[in-house]
Amino acid sequence: MIPVVDIDIKEEEIKAVKEVVKSKFLIEGKHARAFEKKFSDFTEIKYTTTVVNGTCALHLALVALDIGPRDEVITTPYTFIASSNSILFTGSIPVFVDVDKETYNIDPEKIEEKITERTKAIMPVHIFGNPCDMGAIKDIAEDRNLVIIEDCAQGHGASIKGKHVGNFGEIGCFSFYGTKNLIGGEGGAVVTNNKDLNDKIKSIKNHGRSPEGGYAHYSIGFNYRMTDMAAAIMNVQMNRADEILTKRHYNGDKYRKHLNEIEGLMLQKILPSHKHSDYIMAPLVIKKEIRQEQIIEYLKSKNIGSRSIYSILSYQQPAYLDLSKWHLSQVIDYPDYSRTSCPNAEYIATKHFELPMVTSLTDDSIEYIVEKLQEFFRTN
Ligand SMILES: Cc1ncc(COP(=O)(O)O)c(C=O)c1O
């Protein structure tokens, strides 16, 4: 079976973790500091703060921007549930805006109609690593005095006009979860170009302490520290980032070249001057008669790993049917999503299928996958 997901870990990462364990200094320390520097150099964003995972990164960003009860945050329903959950953690309300049918990303043209006097922020998600239309989103945010938190969890290596994602809002949030382009097992980063905001982020992530340490706590913060074991893996991954991302972009380009020619398939549209991170390759079956499960089953029967992800939109999640049941003590008016409708997101949810997109993918494997898809659409 050609796997949908495969983990790119070499001897160097194993050696790095062993050294940290042997040193007995497992907590956040010099490896985390070194990683922060490397990640800032990589993204060309001034300040990086390591955190324990991408969900905490988003939560921390919202708290640092003073978003809380009674506020509303505009986001997309076609994403991993962590995006909107992080909003709920602060007591603010996720307001879902439909996506563009071609890019799968939040449609800037539909944002304006969802802005109310409570709206404080927009959280665009660069889904699958496809950069959102940040120019249009920034224009709206500036015009309506809103802040932007970019969910870059899937965006390592994605850019717009050569600028890495995470550079376009007040804060960018990354995940280094074990299947992402760059991995730490678990791990996350909060990035910003604003020094004051960075100081606040660094303090809140460490129980409101001063970045210099000590036992004075200046705010009620959290423990969102990354371990030095994860940071040590991340440092090796950063040294290998060029190699890893070049291979992913190579795979992505090869898929796009061949799959674009198949009638019945539609690839995620990448806007001009935008560079995809090539984290996930998930085309849509646009032939009406063909069901998502049918193509996934067909690919599996040919030993090609495939699956659907986010077939349940965030507002359709069972957990969101009655939010008052959960421990969201700060939420004041629980939203009722039963009438929320995002037709484009609903379409994509039922029509996409994921293809293998891993660094170990060979030219022969991609050619085999393309051939099998051509065969499928010729005969169905
Ligand atoms: C779009 C998106 N946002 C947020 C997250 C949360 O990151 P983590 O799993 O590291 O908490 C993820 C990933 O897993 C994600 O894909």
Side-chain angles (χ1 to χ4, degrees):
M1 182 72 87
I2 308 171
V4 194
V5 175
D6 191 16
I7 309 307
D8 192 341
I9 286 286
K10 298 245 169 12
E11 270 309 309
E12 284 162 273
E13 281 90 347
I14 297 168
K15 193 166 155 244
V17 181
K18 272 191 184 163
E19 275 168 19
V20 175
V21 177
K22 273 194 204 152
S23 78
K24 298 187 183 172
F25 194 98
L26 311 185
I27 58 173
E28 187 177 296
K30 66 176 182 188
H31 293 280
R33 297 295 84 77
F35 166 65
E36 286 173 343
K37 163 118 198 18
K38 280 186 192 172
F39 200 66
S40 274
D41 291 346
F42 171 75
T43 54
E44 296 181 311
I45 301 171
K46 278 192 194 147
Y47 308 103
T48 297
T49 301
T50 51
V51 287
V52 74
N53 58 47
T55 310
C56 295
L58 290 168
H59 182 215
L60 183 52
L62 290 155
V63 173
L65 288 164
D66 297 320
I67 290 161
R70 292 192 193 281
D71 294 337
E72 290 177 356
V73 180
I74 285 176
T75 193
T76 162
Y78 189 67
T79 179
F80 184 55
I81 197 169
S83 312
S84 52
N85 272 359
S86 68
I87 299 170
L88 287 168
F89 297 162
T90 67
S92 57
I93 302 297
V95 174
F96 296 105
V97 166
D98 203 1
V99 298
D100 177 273
K101 211 171 181 172
E102 295 183 305
T103 65
Y104 313 176
N105 278 328
I106 191 164
D107 183 348
E109 286 188 9
K110 298 193 176 124
I111 291 179
E112 200 77 54
E113 65 203 52
K114 293 287 175 78
I115 297 176
T116 70
E117 68 281 4
R118 288 188 177 187
T119 312
K120 286 286 165 55
I122 307 174
M123 183 189 284
V125 181
H126 307 294
I127 203 68
F128 301 156
N130 193 20
C132 295
D133 185 352
M134 291 311 298
I137 295 171
K138 260 182 99 105
D139 284 349
I140 299 167
E142 272 165 25
D143 195 40
R144 304 299 297 263
N145 202 20
L146 307 174
V147 291
I148 298 174
I149 297 137
E150 289 179 70
D151 182 337
C152 309
Q154 307 183 353
H156 323 130
S159 59
I160 302 174
K161 291 189 185 149
K163 252 177 134 177
H164 202 284
V165 294
N167 259 298
F168 300 92
E170 272 66 23
I171 299 182
C173 298
F174 289 82
S175 161
F176 306 111
Y177 177 67
T179 61
K180 297 284 191 275
N181 282 2
L182 301 170
I183 57 175
E186 295 283 355
V190 182
V191 298
T192 181
N193 282 308
N194 178 324
K195 180 169 185 322
D196 291 341
L197 209 44
N198 178 57
D199 289 346
K200 200 169 166 190
I201 290 164
K202 286 208 157 46
S203 172
I204 300 172
K205 95 131 197 225
N206 193 13
H207 280 305
R209 279 174 164 177
S210 146
E212 279 78 50
Y215 280 89
H217 301 265
Y218 298 96
S219 69
I220 302 297
F222 315 105
N223 170 9
Y224 282 175
R225 296 182 301 261
M226 183 187 250
T227 69
D228 246 18
M229 290 171 289
I233 301 177
M234 287 309 313
N235 276 315
V236 179
Q237 290 269 301
M238 292 316 297
N239 297 343
R240 297 184 49 226
D242 198 30
E243 164 210 331
I244 292 171
L245 296 172
T246 302
K247 181 64 169 82
R248 280 191 172 265
H249 296 319
Y250 174 85
N251 291 346
D253 287 342
K254 202 166 164 75
Y255 266 133
R256 280 185 284 272
K257 181 164 169 246
H258 296 290
L259 297 183
N260 258 326
E261 287 164 10
I262 300 182
E263 219 178 291
L265 265 193
M266 195 171 87
L267 296 184
Q268 192 179 17
K269 179 177 167 185
I270 305 170
L271 296 176
S273 319
H274 285 46
K275 187 170 182 173
H276 203 290
S277 77
D278 290 314
Y279 171 53
I280 286 176
M281 171 62 67
L284 305 183
V285 203
I286 53 170
K287 249 190 175 174
K288 261 208 192 96
E289 320 73 74
I290 302 173
R291 285 171 306 106
Q292 187 180 42
E293 307 80 57
Q294 196 180 337
I295 190 153
I296 292 171
E297 283 316 308
Y298 165 80
L299 288 167
K300 285 188 184 158
S301 75
K302 303 291 173 198
N303 287 321
I304 300 166
S306 180
R307 62 183 179 185
S308 63
I309 33 176
Y310 319 143
S311 2
I312 306 176
L313 301 175
S314 302
Y315 61 79
Q316 296 170 331
Q317 288 291 346
Y320 277 49
L321 295 180
D322 181 4
L323 284 166
S324 68
K325 276 163 66 182
W326 314 118
H327 41 267
L328 303 165
S329 52
Q330 296 189 76
V331 175
I332 291 166
D333 300 317
Y334 287 100
D336 172 6
Y337 292 119
S338 62
R339 281 194 302 277
T340 302
S341 156
C342 294
N344 290 343
E346 285 169 24
Y347 178 79
I348 294 167
T350 55
K351 287 294 196 178
H352 74 279
F353 63 100
E354 190 179 353
L355 288 173
M357 178 51 117
V358 292
T359 51
S360 56
L361 206 56
T362 61
D363 277 359
D364 283 353
S365 301
I366 298 184
E367 280 155 26
Y368 172 75
I369 295 166
V370 169
E371 204 179 286
K372 291 298 146 202
L373 283 168
Q374 284 165 338
E375 238 171 72
F376 179 84
F377 282 95
R378 249 198 323 270
T379 49
N380 282 282

